[in-house]
Amino acid sequence: MVIASVVTEEVEDLRLVLEKPSLSLPHATSSNGKTVPIQHGKDSNVDFGAEVYGIDLNNFTDADFDFIHDALHRHKLLVFKQQPEMLSPQQQYKLTSSFDPDETTGGFAHGVDPFLTSHKGVNIYGIPKRPAIPVQPQVHILGRGALPENHYSFPPDFEVQGIDHEEFHLPPHISAEEREKGASRFYQWHFDGSLYNIPPPRVGCLLAVRTPKGPDVTVRWDDGTGTEMKIAPGATAMVAGSRALALLDDETRNLVMNSRIEYAPHAFVWMSTAHSTRLGHLIETEGLEKPLDQLPKWDKEKVAIYPMVWTNPVTGEKSLQVHGQGAFKLHLKDSPDGEEKIVDDLREVRAFMHKLMRPTLSPENIYAHRHEEQDVILWYNRALWHSITEFPKSYGPRVMHQCNVAASDHPVG
């Protein structure tokens, strides 16, 4: 998951990262995989997600992967239950990369990680909020708190620095006292991707190593509506782009079907000096973005201009896939052959993005996944939006292994 205020500079050429290892899978003629759709309750409009049984991800076969590939595109989120052991970083990378056999670099979706520290002769790369696992550097550790003992060459006192809305959201913030009692926020609604040069991953993958222990927290919208939602501590919140598209009025839906978004060059560096809305879906228009001439070197040809609506290649379903915080310009058309209108005033851009995103960001449309240790979740990154959520420090550490790999292609409508 993207952490906006701490993202490192993207590299110009992912071939600088490493060669992609072999992804050959053991052969089998059939799979024992079984999916059970997640039941979301009578008050929910969520229509995605399934639990998967019968597949050991540390030993999955080509037949298992065929089953997983089809199930993921149909359910958009898979939760792998009853895993005999923790998923290894090597197998997590193999699972994630198998969705894109044409991708040749094996590169992390945000480029090369900087050097972080070393321990007993092993170099560790990344940033304090997203260190890479040395044995498989495309797999990063997210969360907050101390790692388990002897965890993949990390020093014994190493702690992952968690995200904190006080570093990014528009004040006023939730007080420390309220947060310790369970008040929470969505940190950033997004799909994974650098939004510049590097194609966004097709899938995302999370392994729950350690989960916070405590009562459910109350997520607050803090946008003047008084909206709140009870969720599990440390849950990953998700909404479907298909639901977001369906909630638009006919005129707006027709417009987005033919329109594109231009994202800021080095978007996460650009927004790092600004404030997010308290709901985590947009940047506040205060003129605090880093000026373009102060960004790392960038090439106009590598600026990402993506369709607003992306198509599931297996089901044909259309999803509104937008990153409101990174949006820089709008390329609006009301028909395939219509005249394109460019909107470059950030206040207008963000008002339009709010119109697109806010309707689906309501409790009845959100699935907040309760992570259980040793479970693995896999989601189709080109059909869902997601957000990290906060929880009290007294609940203990949250340690997640995340893998997302740059794709071989940019999304098309």
Side-chain angles (χ1 to χ4, degrees), residues 60-79:
F60 71 95
T61 66
D62 55 0
D64 289 330
F65 180 73
D66 288 344
F67 176 91
I68 293 168
H69 183 277
D70 182 73
L72 182 68
H73 284 88
R74 296 186 185 283
H75 295 285
K76 293 177 279 197
L77 168 69
L78 300 179
V79 183

Side-chain angles (χ1 to χ4, degrees), residues 1-3 142 190 192 206 236 379 386-388 402 404:
M1 278 162 277
V2 179
I3 302 175
L142 301 180
H190 65 284
D192 286 337
L206 276 177
T236 301
W379 68 93
H386 62 275
S387 177
I388 302 168
Q402 180 214 32
N404 62 36

Side-chain angles (χ1 to χ4, degrees), residues 81-118:
K81 306 293 291 185
Q82 299 178 349
Q83 293 298 295
E85 296 179 335
M86 286 284 181
L87 179 62
S88 74
Q90 296 93 328
Q91 284 292 109
Q92 187 172 4
Y93 172 72
K94 182 173 286 191
L95 172 64
T96 306
S97 288
S98 292
F99 281 88
D100 196 354
D102 295 328
E103 202 283 319
T104 58
T105 67
F108 171 48
H110 286 273
V112 174
D113 282 319
F115 174 78
L116 180 60
T117 187
S118 62

Side-chain angles (χ1 to χ4, degrees), residues 398-413:
R398 179 184 189 264
V399 178
M400 312 294 290
H401 288 184
Q402 180 214 32
C403 185
N404 62 36
V405 180
S408 60
D409 61 340
H410 289 280
V412 296

Side-chain angles (χ1 to χ4, degrees), residues 175-195:
S175 70
E177 294 77 15
E178 289 179 289
R179 293 172 73 178
E180 194 54 38
K181 291 178 182 178
S184 178
R185 278 202 189 153
F186 301 117
Y187 183 76
Q188 180 189 55
W189 285 103
H190 65 284
F191 59 84
D192 286 337
S194 74
L195 306 181

